[in-house]
């Protein structure tokens, strides 16, 4: 009898352990499903970073327009599925296309969620998620802007493919004006959504993207952020917005450029920003990447000014998106020999820390570390300002 009780207790323990593990597994997964008319493909794709920070891809199998996918997740995340449907790809060549959100399935997932998509696929993904408040909000804004985004992308495609008739060419300016009007309408709808729904996960996600693209003024972004309450702090997008707001405030004209220390240098040695101030020179900080056409085009000018004002100007390059090897291959043959650091992750994410979303971005800083100017895009004005500051 005693032996039977021990066996029963053991069985009960195993049962409870298995139940707990199943429940834990369930809590760390999400499921998304849907039956979408026009989703005539065998699979879709999802790309993401795994626990080891490696880029991996999953396939979402589709049969007769229906799909069900279960994935692992530990925190609220914005996820995108890319359909393998050729007609939604705005291709300008064999390996190039016009990127647009309306060509993908977008949704939010948190542990334990089951999200359902409804809609159809034409020449864009006119299908939207439901099942949670975050996805209901996302469906509301995406269903209002995706058709407009698709219309804009189609007009851009027409211009890019050079398939205009003689009449179309005559009306090329009309098409460009139409694109501008549509894009402004999309921006207006996004601004209204973000401003009216500050505590929505979807609005916080859109706010982050618009801040990166500098589609909000500093004042607008700060005002919206201050209206977000503590219930949103679990969102990854909220945390990134908070860091960008901090970076925005600390890099306003007239502020002292924030000091930082990093080993994310070309040779791995430690670099302290304040070490540049000891030389009593003005500082030009240039955020750039080899993938950025305007950045590369301005490099000869940066070198010219390094040599022109060698006793009055220090240049610091902050690279975004390139490996050390790629940077070295680009810099060395051209003798671009000013100090370079790399924007990375965490505490070394300088684009996030200093609220840089567009490239090139340049800061001009006086010998005491005070921010005098910030320039985004074409740097011609920045060079003219340097001439005014540094000429004899």
């Amino acid at each position: 009898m005693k032996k039977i009780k021990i066996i029963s207790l053991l069985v009960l323990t195993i049962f409870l352990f298995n139940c707990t593990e199943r429940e834990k597994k369930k809590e760390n997964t999400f499921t998304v499903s849907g039956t979408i008319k026009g989703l005539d493909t065998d699979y879709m794709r999802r790309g993401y970073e795994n626990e080891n920070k490696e880029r991996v891809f999953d396939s979402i199998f589709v049969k007769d327009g229906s799909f069900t996918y279960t994935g692992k997740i530990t925190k609220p995340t914005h996820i995108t599925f890319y359909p393998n449907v050729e007609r939604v790809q705005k291709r300008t060549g064999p390996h190039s296309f016009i990127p647009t959100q309306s060509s993908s399935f977008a949704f939010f997932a948190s542990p334990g969620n089951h999200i359902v998509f409804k809609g159809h696929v034409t020449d864009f993904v006119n299908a939207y998620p439901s099942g949670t408040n975050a996805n209901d909000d996302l469906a509301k804004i995406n269903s209002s802007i995706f058709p407009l985004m698709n219309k804009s992308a189609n007009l851009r495609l027409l211009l890019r493919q050079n398939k205009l008739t003689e009449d179309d060419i005559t009306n090329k300016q009309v098409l460009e004006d139409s694109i501008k009007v549509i894009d402004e309408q999309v921006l207006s709808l996004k601004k209204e959504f973000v401003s009216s729904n500050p505590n929505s996960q979807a609005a916080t996600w859109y706010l982050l993207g618009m801040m990166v693209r500098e589609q909000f003024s500093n004042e607008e972004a700060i005002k919206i952020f201050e209206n977000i309450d503590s219930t949103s702090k679990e969102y990854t997008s909220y945390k990134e917005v908070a860091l960008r707001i901090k970076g925005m405030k600390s890099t306003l004209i007239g502020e002292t450029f924030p000091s930082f220390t990093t080993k994310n240098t070309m040779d791995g040695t430690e670099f302290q920003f304040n070490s540049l101030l000891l030389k009593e020179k003005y500082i030009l900080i240039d955020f750039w990447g080899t993938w950025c056409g305007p950045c590369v085009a301005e490099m000869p000018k940066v070198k010219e000014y390094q040599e022109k004002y060698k006793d009055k100007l220090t240049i610091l390059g902050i690279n975004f998106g390139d490996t050390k090897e790629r940077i070295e291959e680009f810099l060395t043959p051209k003798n671009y020999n000013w100090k370079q650091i790399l924007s990375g992750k965490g505490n070394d994410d300088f684009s996030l820390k200093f609220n840089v979303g567009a490239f090139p971005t340049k800061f001009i800083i006086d010998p005491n570390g005070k921010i005098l100017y910030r320039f985004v895009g074409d740097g011609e004005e920045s060079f003219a300002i340097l001439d005014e500051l540094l000429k004899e």
Side-chain angles (χ1 to χ4, degrees), residues 115-374:
I115 300 100
V116 177
F117 267 89
K118 296 179 181 178
H120 56 280
V121 174
T122 54
D123 65 331
F124 74 105
V125 178
N126 195 16
Y128 310 99
S130 64
T132 67
N133 290 335
N135 284 298
D136 290 345
D137 287 344
L138 190 65
K140 181 180 178 181
I141 179 62
N142 284 357
S143 62
S144 68
I145 65 175
F146 273 23
L148 293 170
M149 287 180 164
N150 181 60
K151 187 175 181 180
S152 176
N154 285 339
L155 292 177
R156 292 176 193 276
L157 186 63
L158 184 62
L159 290 172
R160 192 82 64 84
Q161 288 179 331
N162 294 321
K163 293 182 179 179
L164 300 174
T165 66
E166 186 173 340
D167 289 339
D168 288 332
I169 293 173
T170 304
N171 295 318
K172 180 180 178 182
Q173 187 61 51
V174 175
L175 292 178
E176 291 176 345
D177 290 342
S178 296
I179 292 170
K180 183 178 180 181
V181 169
I182 295 169
D183 291 348
E184 288 175 350
Q185 188 176 355
V186 169
L187 181 59
S188 178
L189 288 168
K190 290 197 292 186
K191 281 190 172 184
E192 173 62 25
F193 175 74
V194 170
S195 300
S196 302
N197 302 275
N199 296 314
S200 163
Q201 185 179 356
T204 305
W205 185 82
Y206 264 111
L207 173 60
L208 175 62
M210 294 170 77
M211 286 180 65
V212 169
R213 296 174 182 85
E214 301 197 5
Q215 294 173 332
F216 274 121
S217 69
N218 291 347
E219 294 75 18
E220 287 176 317
I222 291 170
K223 183 178 179 180
I224 292 171
F225 178 74
E226 289 175 345
N227 287 330
I228 302 175
D229 65 33
S230 59
T231 59
S232 302
K233 290 184 177 179
E234 64 175 306
Y235 307 147
T236 300
S237 54
Y238 174 91
K239 296 173 183 177
E240 292 191 18
V241 167
L243 286 173
R244 283 202 173 270
I245 291 291
K246 183 179 179 181
M248 179 183 293
K249 290 180 177 179
S250 66
T251 56
L252 293 173
I253 304 301
E255 295 292 325
T256 298
F257 196 84
S259 178
F260 64 91
T261 300
T262 182
K263 289 187 176 181
N264 222 23
T265 56
M266 293 298 291
D267 59 6
T269 58
E270 184 175 273
F271 168 77
Q272 294 182 344
F273 175 75
N274 281 355
S275 66
L276 301 183
L277 303 178
L278 302 177
K279 298 180 181 180
E280 298 183 351
K281 294 181 179 180
Y282 284 83
I283 302 169
L284 174 67
I285 301 180
D286 183 25
F287 284 82
W288 71 287
T290 62
W291 45 268
C292 165
C295 302
V296 171
E298 289 181 356
M299 283 295 204
K301 194 81 169 182
V302 175
K303 181 173 176 58
E304 175 189 335
Y305 273 65
Q306 179 197 36
E307 296 171 351
K308 183 177 181 180
Y309 297 112
K310 61 183 178 180
D311 296 325
K312 298 180 179 181
L313 181 66
T314 298
I315 298 173
L316 173 66
I318 301 183
N319 180 277
F320 181 84
D322 291 310
T323 63
K324 289 184 180 181
E325 292 75 19
R326 176 70 186 108
I327 297 170
E328 190 70 38
E329 289 173 0
F330 174 78
L331 297 177
T332 302
K334 300 175 177 63
N335 197 29
Y336 295 154
N337 56 7
W338 50 91
K339 184 71 178 181
Q340 297 286 344
I341 62 175
L342 289 75
S343 184
K345 295 183 179 181
N347 200 46
D348 286 332
D349 189 342
F350 301 117
S351 62
L352 181 60
K353 183 178 291 186
F354 303 130
N355 189 39
V356 173
F359 297 82
T361 289
K362 292 180 175 62
F363 288 92
I364 296 178
I365 299 168
D366 78 6
N368 297 313
K370 180 181 176 181
I371 301 170
L372 300 180
Y373 299 93
R374 172 187 172 120

Side-chain angles (χ1 to χ4, degrees), residues 42-71:
D42 294 326
Y43 68 93
M44 296 188 286
R45 300 278 279 176
R46 174 198 174 199
Y48 63 99
E49 281 190 353
N50 63 15
E51 296 174 354
N52 298 320
K53 302 297 182 181
E54 300 167 327
R55 190 70 177 170
V56 296
F57 293 89
D58 274 356
S59 294
I60 300 93
F61 296 102
V62 180
K63 185 175 182 180
D64 299 326
S66 295
F67 66 92
T68 297
Y69 171 85
T70 298

Side-chain angles (χ1 to χ4, degrees), residues 90-98:
K90 311 300 179 181
R91 292 194 183 278
T92 57
H95 305 292
S96 59
F97 59 92
I98 296 173

